Amino acid sequence: MSGSETSQQLFDRARAVSPGGVNSPVRAFRAVGGTPRFMREGSGSTLTDVDGNTYVDLVASWGPMLLGHARPEVIDAVREAAARGTSFGTPSEPEVALAEEIVARTPVDLVRMVSSGTEATMSAIRLARGWTGRDLVVKFAGCYHGHVDALLVEAGSGVVTFGLPGTPGIPSASTSQTLVLPYNDREAVAAAFAEHGAQIACVITEAAPGNMGAVPPLPGFNAFLAATCREHGALFISDEVMTGFRVTRSGHWGLDGAQEGWAPDLMTFGKVMGGGFPAAAFGGREEIMRQLAPEGPVYQAGTLSGNPVATTAGLTTLRLATDEVYARLDTLAITIQGLATKALDAAGVPHVVQSAGNLFSVFLGRTDAVVNFADAQDQSPEAYKAFFHTMLDHGVYLPPSAFEAWFVSDTLDAAALDTIEQALAPAARAAAQAMQS
């Protein structure tokens, strides 16, 4: 690689005007060290930084770019939409069409557009409390639902990456209304409802967590949550900001609920549905959603919600995300997992590779399956740091945190897979050396 001098210069400038030099914490590379790469452009499966280095991208903007960067059809649609005006402060046709597409793909009856996943989960929580007249929220350790006060307790993602307690700046009154349980633990859920059932407004969970690494729900766990909530008059909120329209055309619900015959009361969406633009949504059963203003008493609003450019990008992306695209994403994910396993086995690195649909993670320093947050923390940060930087030096951009999932795009070709394979062998050796020192 040609170095990171220009990235370093930009990082120095950024730190003078932004906390940590970034606008989202994991981007700062603090968990892995070194200089964060400032990207100049993306094309297909690759990113090119300001120093001219090109990388095979296995982050895909944390999920949205399942069709690759700068997909011509999406760019053309966005260009046409922007030429008509970037924001009106009024309803427009693209937001209606995107809502229709989401309703057609998922079990929700009605959808409300917002601008971020955090807004979606925050609004869903408010709606659940308004619908039930209750205050308590149940969440799971290691699940990240955005930087919502009540949901940042024992969150995954950047909070655990930086070892933060998760609650500074958050009133104790907010966190006191949140019950945090171990993920995949039915007994803990049953005990919480036995003690607090009449006060629990909702259970919120990532449909398949990707913010403590990829940690899939154990078979039947989501169905159990849906049934338990129904029994006690609480709402079940499935957070599909990350998995929605990424792992199947119907999100993770397409892998469990659609086949098992249950549906969440509320769902949250983001990332893919914005096609790379800031767009998100929440939706659910009609009688619940109609409690939102202007029809009902639960207030929620957003000036840029349903932005015509963002919704055009999302709609175009969803229409291009065919069954063939999802089949290719699955195949690519399986292939790369196999390559990683082969390289780590050859280097003698204890590891476990696991997936949730086409999201996957590599946990270094352990061999047992990761089923909860405590398991996810039982890995080797030093091994991942060495692994990450060696992959970066060999032209592969991974998540700069061991607590994040890897993402593929359907533009990964034979040359990209060869680059990944060639990088994995020295990266595995670097991880092995880090674990021995």
Side-chain angles (χ1 to χ4, degrees):
M1 310 300 284
S2 66
S4 58
E5 293 82 3
T6 308
S7 280
Q8 184 62 58
Q9 292 168 10
L10 282 171
F11 192 41
D12 292 341
R13 287 173 54 191
R15 282 185 292 185
V17 292
S18 298
V22 294
N23 289 301
S24 191
V26 172
R27 299 177 192 175
F29 270 37
R30 284 182 57 189
V32 293
T35 302
R37 301 306 192 260
F38 282 64
M39 298 304 171
R40 185 182 67 210
E41 63 182 292
S43 177
S45 65
T46 63
L47 293 171
T48 302
D49 69 19
V50 291
D51 289 284
N53 302 306
T54 297
Y55 310 91
V56 175
D57 181 19
L58 292 180
V59 175
S61 190
W62 305 100
M65 315 315 296
L66 80 170
L67 302 175
H69 296 281
R71 179 73 171 236
E73 299 97 322
V74 177
I75 297 301
D76 288 345
V78 166
R79 186 180 293 114
E80 292 175 8
R84 293 191 292 269
T86 58
S87 180
F88 308 129
T90 72
S92 62
E93 192 275 338
E95 67 194 274
V96 179
L98 179 56
E100 290 171 339
E101 187 74 25
I102 292 171
V103 168
R105 285 169 170 254
T106 69
V108 305
D109 299 321
L110 299 176
V111 170
R112 172 64 60 87
M113 298 288 172
V114 292
S115 296
S116 71
T118 293
E119 278 188 79
T121 57
M122 175 186 71
S123 303
I125 292 292
R126 180 181 299 165
L127 181 55
R129 284 171 163 162
W131 172 262
T132 62
R134 303 172 180 179
D135 293 332
L136 290 184
V137 174
V138 173
K139 65 153 290 189
F140 295 99
C143 285
Y144 178 70
H145 304 287
H147 55 277
V148 182
D149 281 6
L151 301 178
L152 207 53
V153 186
E154 292 193 52
S157 194
V159 176
V160 66
T161 295
F162 297 120
L164 302 176
T167 56
I170 300 175
S172 59
S174 295
T175 57
S176 68
Q177 300 298 316
T178 305
L179 303 177
V180 184
L181 306 180
Y183 187 64
N184 272 323
D185 190 333
R186 294 192 186 204
E187 292 184 2
V189 173
F193 272 93
E195 184 174 356
H196 304 286
Q199 289 80 47
I200 295 174
C202 61
V203 172
I204 184 168
T205 182
E206 290 185 76
N211 287 288
M212 49 179 153
V215 180
L218 293 175
F221 184 65
N222 283 339
F224 166 76
L225 295 179
T228 302
C229 287
R230 186 167 58 250
E231 178 184 352
H232 292 271
L235 298 188
F236 177 42
I237 305 175
S238 181
D239 181 352
E240 294 234 28
V241 167
M242 183 173 287
T243 54
F245 319 116
R246 159 49 79 168
V247 297
T248 76
R249 70 184 309 277
S250 301
H252 195 273
W253 178 80
L255 298 176
D256 53 18
Q259 302 181 39
E260 297 166 354
W262 56 268
D265 298 296
L266 294 171
M267 299 180 74
T268 61
F269 309 101
K271 300 190 185 296
V272 172
M273 63 152 283
F277 281 75
F282 63 104
R285 292 184 1 226
E286 180 174 359
E287 63 269 31
I288 300 172
M289 291 298 293
R290 291 203 185 277
Q291 291 298 300
L292 286 172
E295 292 192 34
V298 179
Y299 192 74
Q300 181 278 328
T303 299
L304 294 178
S305 297
N307 175 270
V309 179
T311 52
T312 294
L315 179 63
T316 306
T317 297
L318 291 189
R319 287 176 172 171
L320 291 169
T322 62
D323 290 340
E324 291 75 21
V325 167
Y326 290 112
R328 175 160 172 74
L329 293 173
D330 290 344
T331 298
L332 288 165
I334 291 169
T335 298
I336 296 170
Q337 290 174 69
L339 294 174
T341 295
K342 179 181 177 182
L344 291 165
D345 282 344
V349 179
H351 68 281
V352 57
V353 179
Q354 58 186 50
S355 61
N358 56 52
L359 308 184
F360 60 96
S361 293
V362 177
F363 298 90
L364 303 177
R366 62 175 293 129
T367 56
D368 294 334
V370 176
V371 300
N372 55 38
F373 192 32
D375 289 346
Q377 292 175 298
D378 181 27
Q379 57 177 308
S380 172
E382 289 304 312
Y384 187 81
K385 179 178 178 179
F387 184 83
F388 169 86
H389 277 288
T390 306
M391 294 292 285
L392 190 70
D393 290 343
H394 286 77
V396 180
Y397 191 80
L398 298 180
S401 166
F403 296 97
E404 302 285 359
W406 301 16
F407 299 88
V408 295
S409 75
D410 78 334
T411 53
L412 289 164
D413 57 15
L417 291 174
D418 183 63
T419 297
I420 294 168
E421 183 173 17
Q422 295 304 314
L424 279 166
R429 291 194 293 269
Q433 184 174 0
M435 293 183 66
Q436 293 169 2
S437 60

